[in-house]
Amino acid sequence: MTAPKTLYDKIWDAHVVHEDTDGTCLLYIDRHLVHEVTSPQAFEGLRMTGRKVRAPQKTIAVPDHNVPTTEGRDNPDQMPEDSRIQVAALDTNAREFGVHYYPVNDIRQGIVHIVGPEQGWTLPGMTVVCGDSHTATHGAFGALAHGIGTSEVEHVLATQTLIQRKGKNMKVEITGQLPPGVTAKDITLTVIGRTGTAGGTGHVIEYCGEAIRALSMEGRMTVCNMAIEGGARAGLIAPDEKTFAYIQGRPHAPKGAQWEAALAWWKTLSSDEGAHWDKVITIAAEEIAPVVTWGTSPEDVLPITGDVPDPESFSGGKVEAARRALDYMGLKPGQKLSEIEIDTVFIGSCTNGRIEDLRAAAEILRGQKIKVKRAMVVPGSGLVRAQAEEEGLAQVFIDAGFEWRLAGCSMCLAMNPDQLAPGERCAATSNRNFEGRQGRGGRTHLMSPAMAAAAAITGRLTDVREMMREPA
Amino acid sequence: MEKFTTLTGVAAPMPLVNIDTDMIIPKQFLKTIKRSGLGVNLFDEMRYDDQGREIPDFVLNQPAYRNAQILVTGDNFGCGSSREHAPWALLDFGIRCVISTSFADIFYNNCFKNGILPVALPQEQVDVLMEDARKGENARISVDLENQTVTSADGQVFSFELDPFKKHCLLNGLDDIGLTLEKVSAIDAFEQQAQQSRPWV
């Protein structure tokens, strides 16, 4: 009888090509996602060494970081020269090396971590990598998915493998049921607030418990997306009927007899009773509130009902870091979070740019007007955008005063023209509040789409629970 | 990749915790299709003002640290984005070794692909080295990869842990891809077997 295994153990074991005596493994990679920012040097490396892409049929490329999100963007003049060169390089590389490719003018284009699941590339039990730390998103399907650097991108292109050592197992259990107004984003931020940005370093997190099971696939992707902000390269959720229902019928999902065979294996993909965990965190869903970040690290998380903390209340190096963060953010200890005024609202990103996120924001915005200087919605993909238009959500955003944009990473990292000005304060549904992340001197508060919508209406950080409609 | 064997040099102190890769190299410099030339933009937003002038207080702008080869940093160095531009920028500036209590996983891994040695040591040892770093040119730190030691300016020797494979590659400046391609028959065999067991992949 074999020892009980975690889900991570099972996926890992199914992908080991070779193991050295010192434990260094060659791990097979089932899906390699590629975008324009971290791949040009890797393709150039292949060219210089005369190497090919080993498995172009398992490699998917899409431009997302640099692309403008305004109409008429097929016109290259919309992009500054350096962005244009990078997007053109992806175009050339994708065609020359023969990988799957969704160019800017394809309706399936979008943020790579939204496109992968949407097209059925991401499946349970797979290994998925991308030169992007938010690859953790795909873990929502029970796939082992993590970010890699450009040298590793080249390694995967050339060999379809990675040299890896196995990480540790960490379990994050969210028991019970989420209160009204509390979402997947609040779960994932609350976990990071609890464990810190290094809490998951060296580990793969498996999220489990009743509150996780109750989440939609969209919500599960939001949770796994930010595993990296907790320090874990990968987050996982065991696949279940919701997962299978989401996948079935997608363009690259298995069909017919292969679907049945896949399903039989996928159903074995959960952690065994008695499996070993190196670290366990348990949080009661009932204790989770709608949260926002106040500082410049994703661990700087507090319930919206809280106050800006005093740096002296921390210990060690965090005292100085918190002091620096408050200075950068223009905040004072003791200030009520719900009184912080907002200039800008950004709804989008690989964390919260899916249809369910847009529905949640539109629900709050219906019939309302924004009080902030500017607000934009950037759907995660062209297909999300089309669906939102079909459901009438786009009109809700437009009527409220939001800009309705084309798909891309946009203001999450501000590599395209969507940027904050110095001192501009933004309620954002993205994943990082680092200094300068959304533009030099820009001030980011992370939150859920519903909370961002609430802030848009009042012009300040707002407890969305005060705005929720009474159930009919 | 350049080998790393031993290094003795000036270390710059950066005690701030959670220095992320957005700080190390802001996104406006990721629009390059090369690996070189990023050193001038290392820590750009901490190092230069809005007009592009050097901020004199920033450590790497101070005369003692302009040629630093080592950084001694606060916890969780390199967190955030997977951008390999972070180690490329460090290397291009001349940094070959970063010493901290802890590193983010992806950054840590990326360093080894670029001839940079990240050294994780306990807090009290990092504190000693941070004090050395504060003394600038008057206190050089030595790093010996073969023996896995860091020696403080006054001769205290600290040992560090390291994955043997990573050490081997860094000591010899080896290219991973070449090593992996020596195992191509194992990859072929794996793919054939997976074609049977998981044909939908």
Side-chain angles (χ1 to χ4, degrees), chain B residues 80-100:
Chain B
S81 158
S82 60
R83 59 189 69 167
E84 198 162 318
H85 307 68
W88 294 340
L90 287 165
L91 186 69
D92 197 58
F93 180 89
I95 303 290
R96 295 295 310 278
C97 175
V98 185
I99 300 170
S100 179

Side-chain angles (χ1 to χ4, degrees), chain A residues 449-466:
Chain A
M451 287 284 285
I457 295 168
T458 62
R460 55 178 171 79
L461 298 183
T462 298
D463 190 337
V464 67
R465 292 171 297 192
E466 294 165 9

